[in-house]
Amino acid sequence: MISRLACLMCLIFALSMPGAGFAQQTLSLDGTLIQGGFAKGTVPPGSQVRYDDHDVIVGSDGRFLIGFHRDEPAETVLTVILPDGSEQRYPMNIQPREYDIQRLNGLPEEKVTPPQDVLDRIAAEAAKVRAARAQNSAETWYDSGWIWPARGPITGVFGSQRILNGEPRQPHYGVDVAAPEGSPVVAPADGVVTLLEPDLYFSGGTLMIDHGRGLASTFLHMKSFSVTLGQKVKQGDEIGTVGTTGRSTGPHLDWRINWFESRLDATLFVGPMPKDF
Ligand SMILES: [Zn+2]
């Protein structure tokens, strides 16, 4: 009992510092415990992991990954069920963030407040995207590491509260990279193509890559695709080109990362944009 208490204290201590590494007998967890962030963990092989209401995919080697939504509560719980059936609960402190307010004006009004007859189309498209996101592999393709899928000035950041033509709308979940129309888009990490839609109402040309274990990249507003559905891609492979399709004010790539339905901050995976883009 004493050792378990001590371990819990270590964990609380480690988790209070974003980016801290931590290891002990049952659970090791390494990552940025902040809204939009993620952590990689290890448990004894054969254990199950639950994070809030997610059943986390745990590899035969005991490795797993969890992500923290834009609006993740400050206090969450990770539960490990050991092979002997015993259960350990780890309280987690997720650091809150302050998000920018982004005002975009001059958008076509039907893209901000779609007419009733377009709402069915939007709902059907959202279901398609959710279905693509639901097909996640147990592979760990994300082990390839990460590069920027396009290079250029960052014109939109994760989490911004958006005011479109003066009306508050959904937050912005992607990172926007401005680049000339037709510039190559490359796979930021290994994975499999799970969605190719040339003309979604809001996101235009939309491509999704499953990186494994619930982690998926989505690319919006693309002009063209150079891969096929189900194709395995390696980091750096060209997947298509930058465009300005859908609800967009100019050529750019909007890159977003999900862990299941949780929206993560792509820049926390890849790091800052190189200065010499
Ligand atoms: Zn965007």
Side-chain angles (χ1 to χ4, degrees):
M1 194 59 203
I2 286 166
S3 70
R4 180 161 165 203
L5 268 180
C7 288
L8 274 173
M9 288 174 71
C10 292
L11 185 74
I12 291 161
F13 175 69
L15 295 188
S16 66
M17 297 183 300
F22 173 71
Q24 51 100 352
Q25 263 188 333
T26 300
L27 170 70
S28 79
L29 201 60
D30 186 11
T32 309
L33 303 171
I34 187 169
Q35 289 178 334
F38 66 100
K40 292 177 177 180
T42 310
V43 288
S47 304
Q48 297 168 51
V49 174
R50 284 188 63 76
Y51 177 65
D52 281 344
D53 53 356
H54 292 282
D55 283 316
V56 178
I57 302 171
V58 181
S60 56
D61 55 2
R63 292 196 305 147
F64 68 93
L65 180 142
I66 54 174
F68 316 116
H69 187 66
R70 177 190 185 272
D71 303 307
E72 194 80 353
E75 292 179 4
T76 59
V77 175
L78 189 144
T79 305
V80 179
I81 301 147
L82 292 166
D84 68 6
S86 64
E87 198 175 291
Q88 300 193 348
R89 284 166 57 84
Y90 297 93
M92 310 247 290
N93 294 312
I94 309 298
Q95 188 181 309
R97 288 169 70 164
E98 282 193 16
Y99 298 107
D100 290 348
I101 293 179
Q102 187 182 28
R103 293 171 201 279
L104 288 177
N105 294 308
L107 289 162
E109 197 49 41
E110 71 274 16
K111 293 280 180 183
V112 175
T113 309
Q116 187 61 42
D117 62 339
V118 174
L119 294 177
D120 284 350
R121 171 183 169 188
I122 292 169
E125 291 177 353
K128 254 186 211 176
V129 172
R130 268 199 308 277
R133 207 170 268 145
Q135 28 167 311
N136 55 82
S137 161
E139 301 280 346
T140 56
W141 292 311
Y142 54 78
D143 281 340
S144 66
W146 299 83
I147 60 172
W148 281 92
R151 289 184 170 209
I154 304 292
T155 53
V157 297
F158 173 81
S160 315
Q161 185 57 58
R162 299 192 113 183
I163 315 241
L164 305 181
N165 293 359
E167 297 174 41
R169 286 291 180 265
Q170 266 209 342
H172 185 250
Y173 295 117
V175 54
D176 290 330
V177 181
E181 190 164 10
S183 308
V185 177
V186 302
D190 292 2
V192 162
V193 178
T194 51
L195 182 82
L196 276 183
E197 285 288 335
D199 184 29
L200 299 186
Y201 188 76
F202 286 125
S203 56
T206 307
L207 191 158
M208 192 184 297
I209 296 177
D210 171 22
H211 301 295
R213 306 230 173 142
L215 209 57
S217 281
T218 313
F219 308 93
L220 282 56
H221 313 301
M222 292 178 69
K223 179 188 172 83
S224 64
F225 304 135
S226 48
V227 289
T228 53
L229 207 56
Q231 185 175 329
K232 178 86 188 357
V233 292
K234 301 292 283 182
Q235 182 190 73
D237 286 353
E238 187 167 332
I239 55 176
T241 59
V242 172
T244 185
T245 53
R247 186 172 74 188
S248 169
T249 52
H252 74 285
L253 182 70
D254 180 324
W255 172 33
R256 33 194 76 185
I257 293 184
N258 272 66
W259 180 64
F260 298 100
E261 293 299 319
S262 293
R263 308 292 197 156
L264 311 188
D265 183 352
T267 56
L268 295 177
F269 288 78
V270 73
M273 174 68 71
K275 286 195 172 66
D276 60 343
F277 60 77

